[in-house]
Amino acid sequence: MIRALLVDIDGVLVTGRPEDGLPWSHGLERDLGIPPDLLQKHFFARYWPDVVTGRAGLRETLAPVLAEIAPAVSCEVLLEYWFGRDAQLNEALMQEIATLRRDGLIVALASNQEHLRARYLSERLGLGAQVDHFYYSAAIGARKPDVAFYRRIESDLGETPEALLLIDDTVENVHAARQAGWRAAHWATPLRLADIVAEAGS
């Protein structure tokens, strides 16, 4: 029996730019003068593994990179642009989550996030108030598909692995969850959460 549903955020609940669903960095060079491939090379490729697992701060690692590749753009300007442009919320899915919670299922977020965007998602987008728990990699100290991510959630919820169901758009994370003993489903629209939960629990 499935007792808790763990839902990924990016690619599942949040799907890109609010106006069209494109990646947040689409238009970054036009709007802020920063080529996305340059940001990827100098920031994400170098620092993101440590940032997303809480070993380094986002502002502390991003600011020196911007000083080098885009000195006219402050860290705060880029973060506001990034977070605000990566915020298209799947409202239909949120309604399904509300229904499942009313029916007694525990629903939590399980996402690879660093602290600042996690706070933005929880507070500014309001996701924190619509679920029972918000688990993210920087707070846990490990990210999907690391088994430590899954074990921490099991321990916190006090549930056995087979009672947990992960919905994720990344195949590697789904496979890792299954290897940890969880139920897991690869997210693809237009699947319904209730159907996924029913099938996983059968």
Side-chain angles (χ1 to χ4, degrees), residues 168-183:
D168 202 295
D169 67 319
T170 301
V171 172
E172 186 180 12
N173 297 339
V174 170
H175 288 167
R178 290 173 179 165
Q179 289 173 353
W182 290 30
R183 310 293 179 89

Side-chain angles (χ1 to χ4, degrees), residues 89-150:
L89 191 59
N90 188 330
E91 297 289 354
L93 201 55
M94 295 308 303
Q95 291 176 9
E96 288 191 64
I97 285 174
T99 298
L100 290 172
R101 292 180 72 207
R102 283 196 298 270
D103 291 342
L105 187 68
I106 295 170
V107 181
L109 304 177
S111 183
N112 289 339
Q113 302 289 338
E114 57 74 47
H115 296 295
L116 297 181
R117 184 157 183 262
R119 186 178 307 125
Y120 182 96
L121 293 166
S122 180
E123 298 175 3
R124 294 274 292 274
L125 278 193
L127 292 181
Q130 300 183 63
V131 294
D132 298 294
H133 305 277
F134 185 176
Y135 299 110
Y136 66 96
S137 56
I140 290 174
R143 64 174 174 170
K144 295 176 291 184
D146 188 333
V147 69
F149 183 91
Y150 305 97

Side-chain angles (χ1 to χ4, degrees), residues 2 4 6 153-154 157 159-166 182-183:
I2 301 301
L6 288 302
I153 293 174
E154 290 170 22
L157 290 175
E159 298 288 352
T160 57
E162 61 271 16
L164 305 179
L165 170 61
L166 174 70
W182 290 30
R183 310 293 179 89

Side-chain angles (χ1 to χ4, degrees), residues 25-94:
S25 58
H26 189 86
L28 178 62
E29 185 169 11
R30 177 198 64 216
D31 296 335
L32 297 182
I34 305 173
D37 58 343
L38 204 59
L39 190 63
Q40 173 63 32
K41 176 182 178 182
H42 290 275
F43 175 69
F44 286 104
R46 292 182 183 177
Y47 301 110
W48 192 244
D50 284 337
V51 171
V52 81
T53 51
R55 294 190 295 267
L58 178 55
R59 287 192 182 95
E60 291 78 7
T61 51
L62 180 59
V65 171
L66 289 178
E68 178 184 349
I69 68 172
V73 180
S74 72
C75 187
E76 293 307 316
V77 165
L78 179 57
L79 292 181
E80 186 66 25
Y81 181 92
W82 169 6
F83 296 172
R85 304 282 280 176
D86 201 7
Q88 183 182 78
L89 191 59
N90 188 330
E91 297 289 354
L93 201 55
M94 295 308 303

